[in-house]
Structure formats: structure tokens, C-alpha cells
Amino acid sequence: MKIEPLTTNEILFDSFLIENLNSFDEFIEIYEKYKHNNSDKTIILTLDDLGQAEYTSGHSIHSNDIDETEGYDLSGLDKACFENNEHLGYLSTPSEFFIRIGNFLKQTKDIDFKSVCERDLTIDEDEISILEKINLSPFEYLDEQIILKIVPVKKPYEGISGFPNGYFESDLNPFENYALSKHLFEKYNFELFGIGASFLGFIRNEKLGENKVKELIINLSKLYKTTESAFDRFSEIIKDKNYLFIKYIEYLEE
């Protein structure tokens, strides 16, 4: 296993590249270590298909004006943000993260779990089978390269601001993913800890009780416009786990 800090010219917070992971347990150990060492922040790990996830995240940021500086006082920013006394026009230093989170949270105010369920997100048997597989064997779905992001926010669902994802029209957008993640945290204490090109990953300190699993399945059936019975096998799988992976895109493929 190798963990190296990412050093680029555009960094809003500390990030690390992880390679040569051996197991999902190792993945979780890294998460827990960095979470313990950054208790006032949120740890987000990338999941499946890093290249695609970074591509759609970049487009999500641009199309939703998440890094727009208009209306913000830039006088206290790091000098590296300017060239010839003019702002570079994009966010590139930790001193500017307040702009990112400010723009992001403004666009979450009118979105809740109910409105997310009113989207046309559906799921079929093949997709449920994929969800079952990733929740049984998450390591098989992780990219060979993983980025760990230390996002300077306290609430885990605000971690989406560090890697906004959901770009295509038929997918949940970043703010709907925020509302979904907030709901899962407030109802089940599931903390968002992973974002990929197709999946969101959540973790809690202990397994869900039987009644909470049933309640979660009701919520997922509403989210994906299907029956509770469609998730019978899925519910058996997640009741023995303290983590959860679900899709946020229109259609999952192996």
C-alpha cells in the first residue's frame, strides 16, 4: 500500500493518493485513521471509476457555479490566488474554501429527501443485484487509485462539497446527493464517507437494528420507485454490515 500527498496548483484542502490497497478492511482502516486524526473535519474517499468521477465532478462544479467568486470579499485570500492583482478566476487555495461551501450550501436549501424521491430514479433487478454484490464485496468495485480528501466541514453530508458529483440530467445532482446523505445521517447515523462515479458509500459505528433495516428498505424503495420485496436479499446482506453502498446514477452496469 502507498499513500502520497497530492500536490497540485489547485488544492482547496489536503488530499492523498492511495494505491496498492490489499483489502476493504485496509480501506476502512485508512478511513478511520484519518478520521481520528482530523476529528473536526470530514474524510471522503473516492470509490469506483476515479477518472469518470473526477470528470463528472469537474463538470458539476462548473455547471452549478459552485466555485463562483462573485459577491464574495476576496481581500483576505492567499496572495497565490492573484496574478497582477487580479483573481485567477478559479479556486486554488485553502483560503478560498469558504466560497465553495457557501455556494454549495445555498443550493441545498429547498431540497430534502422527499423531493429527492420525486425524481425519476428507478432500479431494476440487475441493478439491485449489483448493489448486493458491492455491499457483499466492496473491494472488487474500488478503483486501483483512490483519493482521500480531508474536507474542512464537520457534518459528514457536507463532505459532498469536497467532491460534488451527479452531473448527468438523469442522475441525482450534488445537492440531491447532499439531501439524501443528510437524511441517512439524521435517520440512521450513516456518515457519508465515499463518492464514486456511480455509488455513494456510508458508514456507521455499529450494525443497524432489525427495525431500522426495515425502515431503511422502505426509504430505498421510495427513492428508487420499487417494492420493498425487491430488496429482500439486499436487506439480509446489509443487516450484518455497518456500511452501505447505494447508487445515485440513472442506470448501473457491471
Side-chain angles (χ1 to χ4, degrees):
M1 179 185 63
K2 183 169 66 173
I3 303 177
E4 296 180 334
L6 281 180
T7 54
T8 69
N9 293 327
E10 300 174 32
I11 185 164
L12 299 184
F13 41 78
D14 289 336
S15 298
F16 296 84
L17 176 64
I18 305 170
E19 296 180 296
N20 304 325
L21 270 179
N22 296 304
S23 67
F24 184 64
D25 286 342
E26 199 170 54
F27 180 80
I28 294 299
E29 286 172 11
I30 292 169
Y31 167 74
E32 290 177 343
K33 173 186 174 182
Y34 278 84
K35 181 183 176 185
H36 176 76
N37 293 337
N38 299 275
S39 58
D40 59 336
K41 298 174 183 175
T42 289
I43 305 301
I44 294 293
L45 291 152
T46 60
L47 301 173
D48 58 294
D49 200 343
L50 177 60
Q52 178 69 17
E54 290 191 314
Y55 172 82
T56 49
S57 181
H59 280 285
S60 293
I61 290 168
H62 178 72
S63 63
N64 290 293
D65 295 326
I66 295 174
D67 284 357
E68 175 59 54
T69 60
E70 186 175 351
Y72 288 94
D73 180 4
L74 308 183
S75 60
L77 297 183
D78 191 304
K79 292 179 181 178
C81 305
F82 301 91
E83 186 174 342
N84 298 324
N85 294 321
E86 291 288 333
H87 188 265
L88 294 173
Y90 55 88
L91 307 190
S92 58
T93 71
S95 70
E96 298 163 289
F97 183 77
F98 76 96
I99 298 171
R100 162 74 65 84
I101 189 65
N103 287 331
F104 187 91
L105 292 179
K106 278 183 214 171
Q107 298 182 69
T108 66
K109 290 182 179 177
D110 296 324
I111 303 173
D112 58 15
F113 181 67
K114 183 175 181 291
S115 63
V116 175
C117 290
E118 290 169 355
R119 287 293 311 273
D120 294 326
L121 202 62
T122 60
I123 197 166
D124 64 19
E125 290 183 13
D126 290 340
E127 292 179 282
I128 293 176
S129 177
I130 294 171
L131 286 189
E132 291 168 359
K133 289 175 185 176
I134 188 177
N135 281 278
L136 275 172
S137 303
F139 188 65
E140 296 177 18
Y141 288 81
L142 300 181
D143 198 294
E144 291 182 0
Q145 291 188 316
I146 292 164
I147 295 177
L148 181 150
K149 301 168 182 286
I150 304 177
V151 189
V153 293
K154 289 189 176 180
K155 297 172 182 175
Y157 47 88
E158 292 178 348
I160 290 182
S161 65
F163 196 44
N165 234 306
Y167 167 63
F168 298 110
E169 189 174 342
S170 298
D171 301 343
L172 298 185
N173 66 39
F175 317 112
E176 290 164 338
N177 279 332
Y178 168 95
L180 172 58
S181 301
K182 181 179 180 182
H183 177 79
L184 292 177
F185 177 72
E186 293 179 344
K187 292 292 184 181
Y188 310 103
N189 204 32
F190 268 124
E191 297 184 5
L192 178 73
F193 84 116
I195 303 172
S198 303
F199 302 104
L200 300 176
F202 302 88
I203 194 166
R204 68 196 308 272
N205 291 330
E206 55 190 18
K207 300 173 186 176
L208 279 176
E210 187 174 339
N211 288 337
K212 283 293 185 181
V213 170
K214 290 179 180 178
E215 186 182 315
L216 175 61
I217 294 303
I218 291 171
N219 277 211
L220 292 180
S221 65
K222 289 178 180 177
L223 176 65
Y224 297 128
K225 311 287 189 304
T226 191
T227 62
E228 295 166 38
S229 60
F231 283 105
D232 282 349
R233 178 172 152 76
F234 184 77
S235 65
E236 287 299 308
I237 292 169
I238 64 170
K239 75 178 185 180
D240 294 323
K241 314 291 184 188
N242 70 327
Y243 56 81
L244 172 73
F245 293 94
I246 59 175
K247 74 158 191 167
Y248 68 87
I249 64 169
E250 179 185 18
Y251 190 74
L252 284 179
E253 294 181 286
E254 284 281 15

